[in-house]
Amino acid sequence: MTGENAVKLAVLIDADNARPSITEGLLAEVAKYGTAHVKRAYGDWTGPNLKGWKDHLLAQSIQPVQQFAYTTGKNATDAAMVIDAMDLLYSERFDGFCLVSSDSDFTRLAARLRESGLTVYGFGERKTPQPFVAACDKFVYTENLADAHGPTPPAEAVATTTTAVPAAQLKADTALVRQLRNAVEAASDDDGWAALSAVGNIITKQRPDFDSRNYGYAKLSHLITATTLFNLERRSPGDGKPAVVYARDKRYRPDKHATSSSDKA
């Protein structure tokens, strides 16, 4: 693969368990991870419950997959989506799946796809059960996608349209601070500097639903800056390549991590 856009993704939407208003933001988010070669939404399109989906399906070229509710109280949509996912898996044409639902019934499907070496991106509301979240490589809360609608903020804007958590509250969040510091330490070089891309990857592997937007910040660099606990440095690799942002814990002391010449003597 030559880049993220070369990653082939299948987007499977549980329309019974997702809001149609998220589709634009959803597909914009999916585009960050690869190209959606398949876009399907599952549900009983003969009923009134999904009538709000029609315009969104047409606008985003999403294929509706009809699944009748054969028995009251049983979700046939889930079964149809799982069967299609396995068919697509065995075709060996895809690098990853985007599963859009807040239903824990897809936990085993996510785990099975990952067992086959594919990347699984989950999308659901904050009410999504933790087992499904943990079964994905990365999980994005759809409330964050809804916040992304509207005019694009200026590039220098730090916070998203949600209220940004203030620095004092961020520093008081011991779990967040510990996670950020541990990730920076794990990804750091001999001088304590860590590329933010590596930091983000480490955190996501530990917590698939970690997202700076959960705290009201558009990017990880904005969140880390807001904590006031780290120094940030932007470095240009040259050759027209984009600048790389590095972070270092303000508690870092070089003299504690290096052996002086007198000690060597």
Side-chain angles (χ1 to χ4, degrees), residues 107-191:
T107 301
R108 180 63 188 125
L109 173 61
R112 176 65 181 84
L113 294 171
R114 291 183 69 189
E115 288 172 3
S116 295
L118 277 68
T119 303
V120 177
Y121 302 97
F123 297 84
E125 297 178 3
R126 294 186 190 276
K127 66 180 181 181
T128 304
Q130 189 58 33
F132 180 34
V133 173
C136 299
D137 290 283
K138 182 173 179 61
F139 196 92
V140 177
Y141 291 119
T142 53
E143 288 87 347
N144 290 330
L145 303 181
D147 290 338
H149 284 298
T152 302
E156 64 273 11
V158 170
T160 63
T161 53
T162 56
T163 303
V165 178
Q169 192 172 336
L170 291 175
K171 289 194 287 188
D173 188 337
T174 55
L176 171 64
V177 171
R178 180 172 61 253
Q179 197 160 43
L180 291 174
R181 279 178 164 157
N182 288 345
V184 168
E185 172 65 23
S188 65
D189 58 20
D190 290 342
D191 295 318

Side-chain angles (χ1 to χ4, degrees), residues 203-214:
I203 295 177
T204 300
K205 288 178 180 178
Q206 297 171 341
R207 243 186 72 188
D209 62 340
F210 178 86
D211 194 325
S212 59
R213 291 172 294 188
N214 295 340

Side-chain angles (χ1 to χ4, degrees), residues 53-67:
W53 275 93
K54 181 179 178 182
D55 291 340
H56 295 279
L57 296 176
L58 293 172
Q60 303 298 332
S61 189
I62 299 172
Q63 177 188 356
V65 178
Q66 172 62 28
Q67 183 58 52

Side-chain angles (χ1 to χ4, degrees), residues 239-261:
D239 297 327
K241 296 179 181 179
V244 178
V245 179
Y246 287 79
R248 184 167 72 177
D249 194 330
K250 285 185 176 180
R251 302 178 306 172
Y252 179 85
R253 293 293 181 268
D255 57 329
K256 292 184 179 181
H257 294 261
T259 304
S260 66
S261 58

